[in-house]
């Protein structure tokens, strides 16, 4: 269970519980102390020591609450961070494509992890509420056992209210979490295709698709609030009813001489403390949300990771695919890329070019078949995500290479002159570095070059470069990374012409492999570039 693991791995919740004990004790002593002060005041015997005792109890309660807020925030943050670390590792191990869409995965990493990460705090708070209620009942019994007996008559009804709230909230909370993830997935998908959506004039239809689950989200949210409202008004009726019953019993105690006026006020205070659990409607709802979030996290963690594939060794720079299949993209692909070869991958849109590049580069696992590659892989994309505080950090991301290596890679990618013209050169923050699409692509190329890979995979990574710049980059790569295997996804006939061999994909299958000059005689091959 995720929740039990979160609780066990960080025992600082014990500090939270220990910190709450003095505050809870002070809160339980306060009604009695106040009762004594009132009785002394009515008798004209109130002194400064009693007043300071009241102030001290109140101070302990306030300070304890303040410390508790800080501890609770730290415990929740650590729990959420640990869950996010585990989730991220498992999602990466599941590979791509995965049954969990990007937006849904983000929803689980952010919202669900944060909610489930606070379960220890919720448990402590509920435990303190129960302890407070037990202490209040004990205090009532010490005042007069009859008061405690009257109060205990309400306990079964209070327990029924709590149980009913948890049961009725469960389904709505689970639906709310699930639909939130679905909305996130659709939104991330739409944001990724904004330019295509705008160009096709389908913005209204796409907005309708993204927001289609909204009625279900609204229904679940309204259900949660209705259940919470029902709990609140029922608890609101139960508390004064119990107070009235205890007050009547206390009145008889005053008449009989067993209780003083101060004792009556203390009894009312203990009734309020005894009903603490019933009043924790928000806390009970939060507990249900933590349980629902934990189930969504467990759904990911319990998804089996594909068995680690250990194909036979390949020569340095060699890539061998045997009967590789990626559902919906590639079908029974056999391909051998010899060491040091320059291979162009071409085909119409949707033919499986990016899927082939992803499999060759190790970014995704095939559903079946075998992939062997010799040595490390450098990867560059059409739209690179440049992660890092500065330009230099973005280029060496994931490595500890020095400035000289970064500059050499940028020179090879023909982007050094662009970087040095930035306000702070390589130390320019990425968030303030003005770059065109082509310049960002070249920076992504530099990030691939800096790793000195045995196999270089360029997935349309030069699409924004003009033909002359692309040719210059290729020559620089040959000079900076001599003898490296290059697999380049391209739409340009000029790039295919310069390649040693062309892999022509059609409908997810390899239609032909050969030099561009030989394939060019085929009308359908020429149409790929038309």
């Amino acid at each position: 269970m995720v929740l039990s693991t979160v609780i066990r791995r960080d025992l600082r919740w014990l500090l939270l519980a220990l910190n709450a004990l003095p505050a809870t004790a002070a809160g339980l002593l306060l009604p009695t102390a106040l009762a004594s002060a009132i009785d002394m005041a009515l008798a004209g015997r109130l002194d400064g020591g009693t007043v300071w005792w009241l102030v001290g109890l109140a101070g302990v309660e306030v300070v304890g609450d303040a410390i508790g807020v800080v501890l609770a925030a730290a415990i929740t943050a650590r729990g959420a961070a640990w869950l996010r670390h585990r989730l991220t590792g498992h999602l990466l191990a599941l590979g791509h494509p995965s049954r969990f869409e990007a937006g849904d995965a983000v929803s689980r990493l952010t919202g669900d992890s944060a909610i489930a990460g606070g379960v220890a705090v919720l448990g402590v708070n509920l435990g303190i509420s129960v302890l407070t209620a037990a202490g209040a009942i004990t205090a009532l019994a010490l005042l007069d056992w009859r008061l405690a007996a009257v109060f205990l008559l309400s306990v079964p009804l209070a327990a029924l209210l709590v149980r009913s709230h948890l049961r009725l909230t469960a389904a709505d909370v689970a639906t709310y979490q699930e639909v939130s993830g679905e909305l996130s997935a659709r939104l991330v998908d739409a944001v990724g295709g904004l330019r295509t959506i705008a160009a096709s004039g389908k913005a209204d239809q796409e907005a309708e698709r993204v927001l289609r689950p909204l009625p279900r989200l609204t229904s679940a949210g309204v259900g949660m609030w209705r259940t919470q409202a029902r709990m609140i008004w029922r608890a609101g009726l139960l508390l004064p009813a119990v107070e009235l019953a205890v007050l009547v019993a206390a009145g008889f105690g005053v008449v009989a001489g067993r209780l003083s006026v101060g004792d009556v006020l203390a009894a009312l205070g203990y009734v309020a403390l005894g009903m603490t659990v019933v009043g924790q409607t928000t806390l009970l709802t939060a507990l249900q949300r933590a349980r629902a979030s934990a189930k969504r996290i467990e759904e990911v963690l319990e998804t089996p990771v594909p068995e680690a594939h250990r194909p036979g060794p390949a020569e340095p720079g060699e890539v061998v695919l045997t009967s590789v299949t990626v559902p919906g993209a590639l079908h029974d692909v056999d391909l051998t890329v010899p060491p040091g070869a320059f291979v162009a991958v071409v085909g119409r849109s949707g033919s499986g070019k990016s899927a082939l590049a992803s499999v060759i580069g190790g970014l995704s696992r095939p559903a079946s078949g075998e992939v062997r590659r010799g040595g490390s892989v450098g990867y560059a994309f059409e739209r690179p995500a440049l992660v890092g505080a500065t330009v230099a950090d973005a280029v060496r991301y994931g490595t500890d290479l020095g400035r000289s290596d970064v500059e050499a890679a940028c020179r090879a990618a023909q982007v050094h002159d662009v970087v040095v013209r930035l306000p702070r050169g390589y130390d320019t923050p990425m968030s303030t570095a003005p770059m065109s699409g082509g310049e960002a692509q070249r920076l992504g190329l530099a990030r691939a070059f800096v790793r000195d890979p045995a196999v270089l995979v360029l997935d349309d990574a030069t699409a924004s470069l003009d033909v002359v710049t692309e040719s210059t980059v290729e020559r620089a790569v040959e000079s900076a990374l001599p003898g490296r295997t290059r697999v380049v996804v391209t739409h340009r006939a000029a790039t295919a012409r310069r390649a040693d061999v062309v892999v022509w994909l059609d409908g997810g299958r390899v239609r032909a492999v050969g030099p561009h000059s030989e394939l060019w005689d085929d009308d359908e091959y020429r149409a790929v570039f038309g």
Side-chain angles (χ1 to χ4, degrees), residues 71-381:
L71 283 173
I75 294 168
T76 300
R78 284 173 63 90
W82 179 75
L83 285 174
R84 285 168 182 158
H85 184 268
R86 281 200 64 189
L87 267 181
T88 301
H90 200 80
L91 286 168
L92 290 174
L94 290 175
H96 178 80
S98 168
R99 58 173 287 201
F100 303 102
E101 298 181 64
D104 183 38
V106 169
S107 174
R108 295 173 197 252
L109 281 167
T110 55
D112 290 325
S113 295
I115 294 170
V119 66
V121 175
L122 293 174
V124 169
N125 289 337
L126 282 172
I128 291 300
S129 296
V130 172
L131 181 63
T132 300
I137 295 172
T138 302
L140 282 174
L142 291 175
L143 284 173
D144 187 343
W145 66 266
R146 300 169 186 80
L147 301 182
V150 170
F151 181 87
L152 286 173
L153 292 175
S154 69
V155 171
L157 185 56
L160 182 63
L161 279 179
V162 171
R163 182 175 178 276
S164 174
H165 178 77
L166 292 174
R167 179 177 56 82
L168 294 175
T169 306
D172 287 328
V173 167
T175 301
Y176 192 89
Q177 303 291 92
E178 176 187 345
V179 178
S180 295
E182 185 179 346
L183 272 171
S184 298
R186 294 183 181 223
L187 183 60
V188 169
D189 183 50
V191 170
L194 277 178
R195 291 192 296 181
T196 302
I197 295 168
S200 62
K202 300 291 185 180
D204 291 340
Q205 292 91 324
E206 186 63 17
E208 191 276 333
R209 182 190 73 84
V210 171
L211 298 177
R212 196 170 297 148
L214 200 56
R216 289 172 55 210
L217 186 73
T218 302
S219 176
V222 170
M224 288 168 56
W225 285 112
R226 282 177 177 169
T227 303
Q228 191 161 321
R230 189 182 299 119
M231 176 71 172
I232 290 173
W233 73 257
R234 287 177 176 176
L237 289 178
L238 181 61
L239 178 59
V242 175
E243 285 180 336
L244 180 61
V246 172
L247 184 62
V248 170
F252 283 111
V254 172
V255 172
R258 296 190 303 270
L259 300 174
S260 65
V261 174
D263 291 336
V264 173
L265 294 178
L268 292 178
Y270 286 126
V271 169
L273 291 174
M275 299 297 291
T276 301
V277 177
V278 179
Q280 297 289 352
T281 306
T282 304
L283 200 61
L284 293 171
T285 303
L287 180 63
Q288 286 296 74
R289 292 193 67 190
R291 292 173 63 184
S293 295
K295 287 182 180 178
R296 282 171 50 80
I297 293 170
E298 287 171 357
E299 186 181 5
V300 177
L301 298 179
E302 291 174 358
T303 301
V305 175
E307 291 186 11
H309 187 56
R310 296 180 177 85
E315 294 183 34
E318 182 184 35
V319 179
V320 180
L321 278 65
T322 306
S323 301
V324 166
T325 296
V326 175
L330 299 175
H331 309 283
D332 201 27
V333 171
D334 293 306
L335 178 66
T336 298
V337 179
F342 176 9
V343 177
V345 180
V346 304
R348 294 181 181 276
S349 178
S351 62
K353 300 186 299 297
S354 290
L356 180 61
S358 182
V359 167
I360 290 175
L363 296 185
S364 63
R365 293 187 180 93
S368 62
E370 179 182 88
V371 180
R372 292 186 291 135
R373 66 183 70 83
S376 61
V377 178
Y379 212 116
F381 307 88

Side-chain angles (χ1 to χ4, degrees), residues 108 116 192 440 442 478 484 522:
R108 295 173 197 252
R442 280 181 275 170
E478 292 174 358
R484 301 304 193 277
D522 190 313

